[in-house]
Amino acid sequence: MRVAVDAMGGDHAPREIIRGVKEGLAHLAPADQLLLYGPQDVLAAECAAVGLSDPRVQHVHCTQAIEMCESPVEALRQKKDSTIGRMAQAAGKGEVDAIISAGNTGAFVAASQLRIKPIPGISRPGIAVVVPTFHGPAIICDVGANVAPKPHHLHEYARMCAVFAKLILGIEETRIGLVSIGEEESKGNVLVKEARNLIKVDPTLNFVGNVEGRDIFAGTGNVFICDGFVGNVILKLTEGLAEGIFKTVRREIAEAAPDFVRQLEPVIANIWKKHDFAEYGGAPLLGINSVVIICHGRSDHRAIMNAIRVSIEFRKVDLIGVIARQMSKHGREDAA
């Protein structure tokens, strides 16, 4: 397997990316390759600094990187030699099997759409993120790739996520909910109402109906479908809330019972680990004919290491192929 990593993407690039690559080598087979995209001088210096010297790691020289603040499409047009653009191009040509970046999400999604073929039957890709809940892991899709979808896009996300949930998370019975402002069929905007009509009549999907934001953590379902704008707000709100709660609990305990903190610290650390985005590595961009892993902009070495791990796992179980066969088997209602 050939895994490509954007060494220049993310808030902590390139050092934390390179550290993550070094740790990620533990998940590679002897014949696997890991390709680092970035300026050759930077890659050489950073690899030397962290002690990364492995024949399975190759450098792909790129002179440009797309910054977080840049307009995605415009940056791709102007920066022909960007790490994100070059990786997507390599994936489109079949030169690599998986691409990973913690850089500009919009640019990474756009590059993947433009330079990698879509899975037949999928008109727009969606980012599927795994979130821990009190009832086990759940999937939210989309969380930022498609902020203005059509109803059949949400239907496609439901189909792909049903495969993802079963194949990767081991969820035998997926329960799919459509995020809305109320559980009644009359609630929601035009997008939600029309998407509901498509999803509820699909015999391959176990649709539980409209769900509200609170239902994501209440066990009502384990796959939640929404547009990218709503999904991204849910994701960022959840991240901030989780961090805030843990900091508040730790502070309150420290003030009330300082001696008890040392005893409780391992428990808090274990709980936090289960809710830390770094443990999941990154989110797949479903609908593209390649493994595309989008990492959090704040990704550290653990997140990158886990992104490499999950990319290999996706390839081993043939996630893309299974989704393609599922879509081909059941077809789709209409095209974009």
Side-chain angles (χ1 to χ4, degrees):
M1 180 171 177
R2 299 155 299 177
V3 181
V5 179
D6 176 10
M8 307 307 293
D11 298 343
H12 305 297
R15 180 60 56 87
E16 285 297 295
I17 309 299
I18 303 297
R19 288 182 62 196
V21 165
K22 181 180 179 181
E23 295 170 8
L25 288 171
H27 299 287
L28 267 65
D32 291 339
Q33 291 183 330
L34 205 155
L35 294 86
L36 277 172
Y37 281 67
Q40 177 58 38
D41 57 340
V42 174
L43 296 179
E46 290 297 328
C47 285
V50 303
L52 174 57
S53 177
D54 191 296
R56 293 173 295 176
V57 178
Q58 298 181 5
H59 298 174
V60 180
H61 178 59
C62 300
T63 60
Q64 297 171 312
I66 296 177
E67 304 298 329
M68 293 291 196
C69 60
E70 292 188 81
S71 171
V73 176
E74 190 64 27
L76 284 172
R77 288 199 191 103
Q78 294 180 356
K79 295 185 173 181
K80 304 295 185 181
D81 198 39
S82 69
T83 52
I84 284 176
R86 290 278 303 280
M87 287 199 312
Q89 187 175 50
K93 293 180 178 179
E95 297 172 353
V96 296
D97 303 301
I99 55 178
I100 299 170
S101 178
N104 187 311
T105 298
F108 198 29
V109 170
S112 298
Q113 285 185 271
L114 293 170
R115 300 177 182 179
I116 308 173
K117 291 181 180 179
I119 293 175
I122 302 297
S123 45
R124 288 291 297 272
I127 303 172
V129 66
V130 178
V131 295
T133 77
F134 306 114
H135 302 274
I139 298 170
I140 302 176
C141 184
D142 173 37
V143 296
N146 190 0
V147 298
K150 296 178 180 179
H152 68 270
H153 294 156
L154 301 190
H155 184 202
E156 292 167 6
Y157 297 161
R159 287 181 172 179
M160 290 192 292
C161 286
V163 175
F164 180 51
K166 183 174 182 179
L167 208 58
I168 301 302
L169 301 181
I171 298 174
E172 289 299 326
E173 183 183 358
T174 54
R175 289 170 286 117
I176 299 171
L178 183 63
V179 179
S180 184
I181 57 173
E183 61 182 24
E184 298 86 358
E185 288 196 29
S186 60
K187 295 291 182 67
N189 55 19
V190 174
L191 171 67
V192 169
K193 291 177 181 178
E194 292 186 3
R196 178 189 174 97
N197 291 336
L198 293 175
I199 298 172
K200 73 178 183 180
V201 298
D202 189 332
T204 69
L205 301 176
N206 180 22
F207 184 50
V208 299
N210 287 1
V211 296
E212 298 177 273
R214 60 185 176 186
D215 292 321
I216 294 174
F217 298 95
T220 303
N222 44 39
V223 172
F224 299 94
I225 305 301
C226 57
D227 68 72
F229 188 95
V230 170
N232 195 269
V233 171
I234 291 174
L235 180 64
K236 300 297 175 57
L237 174 62
T238 301
E239 289 177 355
L241 182 61
E243 290 182 11
I245 288 175
F246 274 91
K247 289 178 180 178
T248 300
V249 169
R250 183 179 279 114
R251 184 179 66 247
E252 291 295 325
I253 294 176
E255 293 178 357
D259 295 335
F260 187 52
V261 172
R262 288 186 293 273
Q263 300 177 42
L264 196 60
E265 194 64 36
V267 177
I268 295 178
N270 187 50
I271 295 174
W272 173 247
K273 184 177 180 180
K274 295 178 181 179
H275 293 76
D276 186 359
F277 72 86
E279 296 300 319
Y280 292 90
L285 179 64
L286 299 181
I288 298 296
N289 197 29
S290 179
V291 174
V292 179
I293 305 295
I294 298 173
C295 298
H296 201 296
R298 293 186 293 148
S299 291
D300 62 7
H301 62 98
R302 293 179 303 118
I304 299 303
M305 180 270 290
N306 281 313
I308 294 170
R309 174 182 57 79
V310 299
S311 72
I312 293 172
E313 181 183 356
F314 292 171
R315 180 72 176 180
K316 283 182 178 178
V317 300
D318 191 23
L319 175 64
I320 307 303
V322 175
I323 289 176
R325 289 190 290 275
Q326 184 76 0
M327 294 303 297
S328 176
K329 179 179 178 181
H330 297 287
R332 66 188 180 97
E333 268 57 40
D334 44 20

